[in-house]
Amino acid sequence: MEVLIVEDDDAMASALVAAVVSAGHKATRVARGADALLVHRRFEVILLDLGLPDLDGLDVLRKLRQVTSCPILILTARDDERSVVLGLRSGADDYLVKPVKLVELLARIEAVTRRTGRSGGVQHHSIVLGDLDVDLDRRVAAVGSRVLPLTPTEFQLLALLVRNAGSVVTREQILDALWGDAFLASSRSLDVHLTGLRAKLQLPGFIINVRGVGYRVEGNPA
């Protein structure tokens, strides 16, 4: 894969480049948010620091999300709750706090690319539940004529739930499918994405909380 590393710290950037290359990927590093906005098109994954010298990383994230659906992982020293929530709600697929173990970073990269890529085998091209239409090929969801402005992770979460309509999907299953593990650190990401998904669906009672187990959507696919 072609990985874009947006990091202004030279030592950190060198370590990230070395880790990405060691895993068999290609890595390009830029130090400024403006540069990332210029060159992002040819990359399949973006690692984004928030503390950039020219632009705030969250602003860069929002601008990138307007033009690309490629996986974006935030890698930053900001560990406060507000930054985490803002990052995930602004479209990040994952949020890692420095210092991060490079082996964990590589695992997260693999997880987000696996869940945002096309899976093999036979599957429904579109799933319809009442007024909700989830087009798995185009990665677009709509309620009636209203197209939902979902982030890539919100779409993956919705697709997982509707594929299993009528059955409970456990939190562990969701974390494993979307983040590649069931680490507690990812559960906060799940809660934020689930809240965002519900707000955009505007379908009260559609995603049901099964206390202590997971979530279920009602109905059978058409």
Side-chain angles (χ1 to χ4, degrees):
M1 291 185 298
E2 292 272 0
V3 180
L4 175 62
I5 298 171
V6 189
E7 170 63 63
D8 67 324
D9 183 273
D10 291 338
M12 174 61 70
S14 295
L16 292 174
V17 168
V20 168
V21 171
S22 72
H25 308 303
K26 296 180 180 179
T28 299
R29 179 258 180 137
V30 296
R32 299 176 349 116
D35 295 331
L37 295 173
L38 286 174
V39 303
H40 72 86
R41 292 173 186 82
R42 64 185 179 89
F43 295 95
E44 298 165 86
V45 179
I46 299 174
L47 303 183
L48 177 64
D49 182 25
L50 296 184
L52 301 173
D54 60 332
L55 299 170
D56 184 89
L58 288 174
D59 290 334
V60 176
L61 172 62
R62 295 185 188 102
K63 290 177 180 179
L64 286 171
R65 269 294 164 250
Q66 292 175 7
V67 294
T68 181
S69 61
C70 89
I72 301 175
L73 292 83
I74 290 177
L75 185 59
T76 180
R78 299 183 194 175
D79 61 353
D80 59 286
E81 187 77 16
R82 180 175 180 275
S83 293
V84 174
V85 172
L86 279 175
L88 293 170
R89 286 184 174 171
S90 297
D93 294 277
D94 210 342
Y95 193 110
L96 292 86
V97 177
K98 299 174 183 175
V100 61
K101 294 180 179 178
L102 295 180
V103 65
E104 179 184 0
L105 172 63
L106 294 174
R108 296 296 184 91
I109 291 174
E110 292 176 5
V112 297
T113 53
R114 184 170 63 247
R115 75 173 185 262
T116 56
R118 298 283 178 85
S119 58
V122 177
Q123 64 176 11
H124 297 285
H125 295 295
S126 184
I127 298 176
V128 178
L129 289 173
D131 291 334
L132 175 66
D133 187 342
V134 182
D135 188 323
L136 299 174
D137 287 337
R138 294 172 53 229
R139 301 182 64 80
V140 173
V143 176
S145 61
R146 178 171 58 91
V147 177
L148 306 180
L150 302 181
T151 68
T153 301
E154 287 169 351
F155 180 87
Q156 279 301 116
L157 176 56
L158 177 61
L160 177 62
L161 292 173
V162 298
R163 282 192 186 105
N164 294 278
S167 302
V168 176
V169 182
T170 68
R171 287 181 66 89
E172 290 77 15
Q173 288 173 324
I174 296 172
L175 292 170
D176 183 67
L178 270 64
W179 280 273
D181 59 51
F183 291 158
L184 182 61
S186 292
S187 65
R188 183 165 55 177
S189 296
L190 171 56
D191 293 335
V192 173
H193 287 301
L194 187 63
T195 299
L197 175 59
R198 280 173 161 153
K200 293 173 183 178
L201 282 169
Q202 297 178 24
L203 296 173
F206 179 71
I207 300 177
I208 299 171
N209 246 7
V210 181
R211 186 177 296 276
V213 182
Y215 307 93
R216 182 181 73 247
V217 299
E218 293 295 349
N220 295 312

